[in-house]
Amino acid sequence: MSGTGRVHRKSAATRRSVKLGAAFAAALASVLTVATGHAPSALARDAGTTSRTAADAPIRLARRDAIGTADRSARPDARAPKAVVATPSAPLVAIVSIADQRLEVYGPGGQVLASRVSTGKPGHSTPPGVFSILQRNRFHRSNLYSNAPMPYMQRLTWSGIALHEGHLPGYPASHGCIRMPGNVSRQLWAMGSIGMRVIVSPGRTSPRAIEHASLPSPATYAQSETAGVIRVASTADVAAATPTLSPYAAAQARVTAAVEAKVIADRAVKPALDRAADRAAAARRLSEALRASAGILADAEEHLELERLAMSTVQTESAEAVMADRIRSAEAGARAAKEAHEALAAEERSVSDAAFAAARDAREASEEAERATRELSLARKGTSPLHIFVSRKTGQVYLRQGYHDLHQEPAVIGDPDRPLGTHVYTAMETSGDSVRWMAVSLHTPKSAPSGRRRGAETTTEHRSASSAEEALGRLQLSAEVRTLLSERLWPGASLTISDYGLGETGEGTDFVIITR
């Protein structure tokens, strides 16, 4: 058999791949087009709008977070924020007399509601003290007593004390709640709200107007921002633009600014997520094309190696010439495949950088929307009335706004061993730099905690408590506390002074003070 025949027989396996030599570049281009949906040149143009598969995870997380935090204001047809409401709602104070079994509700204009009630029976007595409405439920049922109906329930403590409609036999008969007639419970439901002050006194007490130098006036310009959970309701920026802005108007202006910032932040989230998702999809296509390109390159290099191997077996010059042509063709195909693969790899790296940048932008947009949501929440809490509690028992001054602690410091009380009593001072109306305050003093029991400790026990005092004016005269509020109050002083703000400490005060409550 001739040498040429032996060569053809030994290289039979390579004859099936001869056509690959000149077709490798075309095959690679075809793979790119099919795998990516674009011609290679189009992909190069779109490199700035695609991303890496690895970016999918942060994109999905960012999208999920954004969906959870974005609200209706993020939609393109969102309405502009409402104008600032510069007047807070008129405060109401409900007073319950256990001795008289009577409820009276007072507003800025005086008494607005009065009714008989039924408080807790012996063994389940209603605790006297200072409360606020924590929860409202029109069709509530008791969690403690046989699922008993409690229509128009307005909760005072999380341990089971509430105002609600119920039977009134003419004497204390409840398990601790304050029962009211049906028509009164409905009226109080209509006028009440979360945060409304409710004072439960052992005996009869009535509110009265009070003026005292210890009660500060509202600021008429925005002061410096104060550190705390709830930031100051007015800012230096607002002050510069409106130097005579009232504290409540400044708080509402902050809400308006926060709403606008949230709308802008929310609107930026979806486009950022869409861009990141589009680039992630293109990145998947590029990744698949790169894998296909690597396969084509490997085939081209294998074909070239086989042709070179076949050259070593030829026996004649004519066969050698044929094989030389085949090797040149295989080299050209391998070179074209390598160049195309390297170009695609470079493109993939560029697209990957853009992908991670898009994922980062989407994450930052989502985080900015979350920050705007938190800022809006703080701003809205900043429109809540400020409440101050001074406890002779603990020797501390506590400030809370929007059910969050704002400030705490030691109390400075003159003649600290003498009882103060329990007094609640409520700002009922403000006009310019003047405030109309209303004081309610609870009946003080024969003994009250003195704040002094003997061993592990708190001693009691039997000396007479101060009046509302005397208690204010014995109290020295620090400059910081007075500033915080003046910056947040609008109707509903209050100062409570008591010989007792904090009751069920925590997250979701205002100050709860039990005076027994």
Side-chain angles (χ1 to χ4, degrees):
M1 181 176 291
S2 69
T4 303
R6 288 194 302 273
V7 169
H8 285 299
R9 188 169 55 252
K10 291 181 180 180
S11 62
T14 69
R15 293 194 187 100
R16 293 189 298 269
S17 61
V18 169
K19 296 180 180 179
L20 286 174
F24 275 131
L28 180 57
S30 177
V31 167
L32 291 178
T33 302
V34 171
T36 65
H38 300 279
S41 59
L43 280 173
R45 289 194 302 270
D46 295 341
T49 60
T50 53
S51 76
R52 180 190 291 251
T53 305
D56 285 354
I59 291 168
R60 287 195 298 271
L61 181 59
R63 183 182 294 277
R64 183 196 67 191
D65 292 346
I67 291 173
T69 59
D71 63 5
R72 295 179 186 273
S73 64
R75 298 179 180 179
D77 60 347
R79 297 293 186 266
K82 294 182 179 179
V84 170
V85 179
T87 304
S89 58
L92 295 173
V93 178
I95 303 173
V96 176
S97 170
I98 294 176
D100 293 349
Q101 295 290 281
R102 183 174 175 81
L103 164 73
E104 296 175 345
V105 181
Y106 294 85
Q111 187 180 103
V112 296
L113 183 64
S115 172
R116 57 193 179 92
V117 296
S118 178
T119 58
K121 62 186 177 182
H124 297 277
S125 60
T126 302
V130 182
F131 309 90
S132 61
I133 294 175
L134 308 177
Q135 182 187 56
R136 286 157 48 90
N137 191 338
R138 189 188 299 268
F139 304 110
H140 189 72
R141 286 188 174 272
S142 174
N143 301 322
L144 301 175
Y145 300 106
S146 304
N147 204 35
M150 300 169 61
Y152 299 99
M153 185 278 294
Q154 302 192 72
R155 184 183 296 278
L156 302 183
T157 72
W158 295 112
S159 57
I161 307 302
L163 296 153
H164 65 84
E165 178 183 339
H167 176 60
L168 276 67
Y171 54 85
S174 77
H175 285 91
C177 288
I178 301 165
R179 298 178 184 171
M180 301 173 290
N183 64 326
V184 173
S185 64
R186 289 188 289 274
Q187 290 181 65
L188 187 61
W189 174 271
M191 66 176 63
S193 62
I194 299 294
M196 174 181 163
R197 179 74 71 201
V198 178
I199 299 171
V200 179
S201 175
R204 182 73 180 270
T205 185
S206 298
R208 59 189 181 86
I210 185 171
E211 295 181 2
H212 199 279
S214 295
L215 297 171
S217 299
T220 55
Y221 58 92
Q223 301 191 19
S224 60
E225 188 167 324
T226 307
V229 176
I230 309 300
R231 293 197 290 272
V232 68
S234 55
T235 65
D237 291 341
V238 176
T242 53
T244 60
L245 201 63
S246 71
Y248 189 76
Q252 286 291 349
R254 182 185 173 201
V255 172
T256 298
V259 169
E260 293 172 346
K262 178 169 170 55
V263 169
I264 293 171
D266 284 347
R267 284 177 176 170
V269 172
K270 188 177 183 303
L273 290 175
D274 288 344
R275 285 193 298 271
D278 290 343
R279 294 174 184 180
R284 286 192 296 272
R285 294 192 296 268
L286 268 178
S287 179
E288 293 167 0
L290 192 61
R291 286 194 295 271
S293 170
I296 292 173
L297 177 58
D299 287 345
E301 290 175 342
E302 180 183 8
H303 174 66
L304 176 59
E305 184 63 25
L306 287 173
E307 294 288 43
R308 286 172 174 169
L309 181 62
M311 173 65 83
S312 64
T313 65
V314 299
Q315 300 295 322
T316 65
E317 292 183 358
S318 59
E320 184 176 348
V322 171
M323 291 307 302
D325 288 340
R326 291 181 178 179
I327 289 173
R328 284 192 293 272
S329 177
E331 287 174 343
R335 188 165 50 251
K338 183 178 180 180
E339 292 173 354
H341 181 75
E342 290 176 348
L344 182 60
E347 183 178 9
E348 195 273 343
R349 286 192 297 272
S350 175
V351 168
S352 296
D353 292 340
F356 282 115
R360 183 179 60 251
D361 291 345
R363 167 59 69 182
E364 290 176 352
S366 297
E367 290 174 348
E368 181 60 31
E370 292 170 359
R371 283 192 292 270
T373 298
R374 290 193 295 270
E375 169 61 22
L376 179 57
S377 176
L378 290 176
R380 285 172 172 162
K381 291 179 187 297
T383 63
S384 302
L386 177 70
H387 300 295
I388 302 177
F389 173 49
V390 180
S391 170
R392 187 170 72 95
K393 179 179 180 179
T394 64
Q396 294 290 309
V397 179
Y398 308 89
L399 280 72
R400 286 172 71 83
Q401 186 179 26
Y403 296 153
H404 283 74
D405 293 328
L406 180 64
H407 180 73
Q408 181 178 337
E409 66 178 42
V412 180
I413 302 172
D415 193 6
D417 291 335
R418 178 188 171 194
L420 285 164
T422 298
H423 312 278
V424 181
Y425 311 86
T426 305
M428 302 302 289
E429 290 182 317
T430 59
S431 177
D433 60 354
S434 64
V435 183
R436 186 165 68 84
W437 292 89
M438 182 180 78
V440 179
S441 299
L442 277 72
H443 281 265
T444 304
K446 293 182 180 180
S447 61
S450 67
R452 297 182 303 169
R453 292 186 177 273
R454 185 174 300 156
E457 299 296 326
T458 300
T459 64
T460 58
E461 292 284 353
H462 297 276
R463 301 164 62 187
S464 61
S466 296
S467 66
E469 288 83 0
E470 290 172 338
L472 284 173
R474 291 170 55 193
L475 176 64
Q476 298 181 32
L477 295 175
S478 69
E480 182 174 4
V481 170
R482 292 177 65 86
T483 297
L484 288 170
L485 179 55
S486 67
E487 289 178 337
R488 298 163 172 79
L489 185 48
W490 53 77
S494 70
L495 166 65
T496 300
I497 301 174
S498 180
D499 296 306
Y500 296 85
L502 293 171
E504 298 178 20
T505 301
E507 185 176 357
T509 73
D510 197 352
F511 293 121
V512 177
I513 303 142
I514 307 297
T515 59
R516 68 177 180 188

